[in-house]
C-alpha cells in the first residue's frame, strides 16, 4: 500500500512539474478577434484572369505594369513569366526586396538604400540614404520619387512613419509620422509588417498584425488611417540583445491586405468565420465601417491568403501554397 501511495504522489508531482513547464512555454495566441458584420449586396465583380505556381526555390511577385515575376534568390535571377516571350534577367548584387519593375528597369531596396538596375545596359545605381532605415517602399513615378515607410533620424529624434524621397533633389520629406523616440530599436519594423497596394486614385499601406490601413492619394498626400474593427492588440515583440522576434503569446494577425474601388476600401480580414472570401467595406472619405460582402468567383477563403496587392483594376492574391492568383475587379456601382 505504501508503494502505491508513493507512486500516486510521484505521479501527482510529475504532472504538477509538467504543468508548470508547459505554462512557462510560449503558445500561440488563439483569441478570436471577430466582430458583428452586416453582410449586404455585392458591389464588386471579381473575374479570374489566371494563376501560376512558383517553381521550387523561387517566389512570385507582381510589378506595377502588370508583369508577373518569378524570383530565384539562389540562382540570382528574375524571370518575367507573364509575357508571351519570357525574359530572364540576372541580379549581380545582393538585395533584400524587389520594389518594382517598369520598362525593364528593376528597383530593389536594402536596409538603407535603393538599387536601380537596367539589365539590358548593365546600368546599376545605388541610392544610399543617411539617417534612414527602410521598412517598405512604393515607387511613385518612374524612379523620380519614392514613398517609403520606415525610420528617419531628424534633430536627434527617430521618427517612425511615411516619407518621400526625391531622386533629383535628394531630399527626404515627411508625409505622416506617428511616433518619435530618442533611440532606434527597430521594433516597429516587425510590429507594422505589411505592404503597399494602389490604384489610380489611392495608395494604401495595410498592416498584417495591427488593425490599421494607412491611406494616401496618388501623390502620397496622407488622407487618414482606417482602424479595422477586429481590434487586434498591438503585437508583442521580444528583445534578445538587440535581435527582435515576435512573441507567440499576444501576437495575432489582423489583415491579409486591402484594395480600393472608387471611394470604398475593401479589407480582407484574417479574422472571419465564413466559408468564403469576405471583404469588409470602409469609407475612404471618413474611415468608417460600411458593411461586409461576400466576394464570389475566387474559390478560396480569407485564411488561404498570405498577402494581397492591387495594381489598378487587378488583384494579386499571394497564397500560402506559394501560388499567385490574379483577378480583374469591376465595380457594379
Amino acid at each position: 500500500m505504501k508503494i502505491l501511495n508513493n507512486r500516486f504522489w510521484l505521479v501527482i508531482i510529475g504532472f504538477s512539474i509538467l504543468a508548470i513547464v508547459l505554462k512557462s512555454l510560449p503558445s500561440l495566441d488563439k483569441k478570436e478577434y471577430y466582430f458583428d458584420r452586416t453582410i449586404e449586396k455585392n458591389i464588386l465583380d471579381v473575374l479570374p484572369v489566371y494563376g501560376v505556381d512558383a517553381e521550387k526555390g523561387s517566389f512570385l511577385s507582381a510589378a506595377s505594369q502588370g508583369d508577373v515575376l518569378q524570383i530565384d534568390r539562389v540562382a540570382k535571377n528574375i524571370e518575367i513569366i507573364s509575357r508571351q516571350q519570357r525574359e530572364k534577367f540576372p541580379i549581380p548584387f545582393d538585395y533584400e526586396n524587389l520594389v518594382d519593375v517598369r520598362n525593364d528597369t528593376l528597383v530593389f531596396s536594402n536596409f538603407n538604400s535603393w538599387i536601380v538596375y537596367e539589365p539590358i545596359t548593365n546600368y546599376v545605381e545605388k541610392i544610399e540614404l543617411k539617417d534612414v532605415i527602410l521598412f517598405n517602399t512604393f515607387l511613385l513615378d518612374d524612379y523620380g520619387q519614392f514613398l517609403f515607410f520606415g525610420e528617419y533620424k531628424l534633430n536627434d529624434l527617430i521618427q517612425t512613419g511615411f516619407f518621400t524621397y526625391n531622386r533629383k533633389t535628394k531630399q527626404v520629406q515627411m508625409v505622416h509620422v506617428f511616433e518619435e523616440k530618442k533611440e532606434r530599436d527597430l521594433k516597429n519594423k516587425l510590429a507594422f509588417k505589411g505592404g503597399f497596394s494602389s490604384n489610380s486614385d489611392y495608395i494604401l499601406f495595410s498592416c498584417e498584425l495591427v488593425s490599421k490601413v494607412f491611406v494616401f492619394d496618388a501623390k502620397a498626400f496622407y488622407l487618414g488611417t482606417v482602424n479595422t474593427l477586429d481590434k487586434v492588440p498591438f503585437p508583442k515583440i521580444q528583445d534578445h540583445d538587440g535581435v527582435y522576434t515576435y512573441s507567440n503569446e499576444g501576437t495575432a494577425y489582423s489583415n491579409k491586405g486591402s484594395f480600393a474601388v472608387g471611394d470604398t476600401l475593401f479589407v480582407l480580414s484574417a479574422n472571419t468565420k465564413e466559408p468564403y472570401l469576405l471583404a469588409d467595406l470602409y469609407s475612404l472619405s471618413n474611415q468608417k465601417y460600411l458593411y461586409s460582402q461576400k466576394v464570389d468567383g475566387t474559390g478560396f477563403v480569407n485564411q488561404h491568403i498570405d498577402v494581397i496587392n492591387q495594381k489598378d483594376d487587378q488583384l494579386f492574391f499571394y497564397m500560402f501554397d506559394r501560388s499567385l492568383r490574379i483577378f480583374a475587379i469591376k465595380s457594379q456601382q
Side-chain angles (χ1 to χ4, degrees), residues 22-139:
L22 291 175
K23 188 175 181 180
S24 67
L25 294 175
S27 59
L28 290 175
D29 188 348
K30 298 186 180 298
K31 291 182 180 178
E32 298 174 343
Y33 299 98
Y34 304 120
F35 61 92
D36 292 331
R37 290 175 165 90
T38 302
I39 299 179
E40 296 188 6
K41 66 175 183 177
N42 289 6
I43 62 169
L44 197 71
D45 285 330
V46 179
L47 309 173
V49 178
Y50 67 95
V52 60
D53 296 325
E55 294 179 3
K56 186 177 181 180
S58 301
F59 67 94
L60 300 163
S61 184
S64 61
Q65 293 180 329
D67 284 326
V68 177
L69 314 167
Q70 184 161 257
I71 305 169
D72 190 331
R73 287 188 181 274
V74 177
K76 297 186 71 172
N77 61 54
I78 290 183
E79 186 174 8
I80 302 178
I81 62 177
S82 56
R83 298 180 182 178
Q84 189 170 6
Q85 183 174 352
R86 289 193 176 195
E87 298 180 72
K88 183 179 289 188
F89 302 128
I91 310 172
F93 45 79
D94 294 326
Y95 69 97
E96 286 187 11
N97 300 298
L98 173 69
V99 175
D100 206 348
V101 177
R102 298 189 188 185
N103 302 319
D104 294 344
T105 299
L106 290 72
V107 178
F108 302 89
S109 71
N110 281 314
F111 189 68
N112 65 341
S113 63
W114 292 290
I115 298 175
V116 180
Y117 174 45
E118 297 177 1
I120 295 176
T121 61
N122 206 31
Y123 171 79
V124 178
E125 177 188 354
K126 187 174 183 179
I127 305 170
E128 194 161 6
L129 304 184
K130 185 180 179 181
D131 298 325
V132 166
I133 294 180
L134 302 173
F135 297 169
N136 298 81
T137 300
F138 180 84
L139 198 60

Side-chain angles (χ1 to χ4, degrees), residues 35 60 78 114 128 131 133 145 169 198 232 261 299 306 317 322:
F35 61 92
L60 300 163
I78 290 183
W114 292 290
E128 194 161 6
D131 298 325
I133 294 180
Q145 287 193 94
T169 65
S198 68
V232 168
V261 178
D306 192 8
F317 292 97
R322 296 178 63 251

Side-chain angles (χ1 to χ4, degrees), residues 297-315:
T298 64
F300 51 85
V301 301
N302 292 32
Q303 286 73 17
H304 292 161
I305 304 168
D306 192 8
V307 67
I308 177 175
N309 289 126
Q310 177 184 15
K311 307 293 184 183
D312 287 325
D313 61 348
Q314 284 194 323
L315 297 178

Side-chain angles (χ1 to χ4, degrees), residues 220-235:
F221 180 80
Y222 174 67
L223 299 177
T225 301
V226 174
N227 295 298
T228 56
L229 295 187
D230 51 3
K231 297 180 180 179
V232 168
F234 195 80

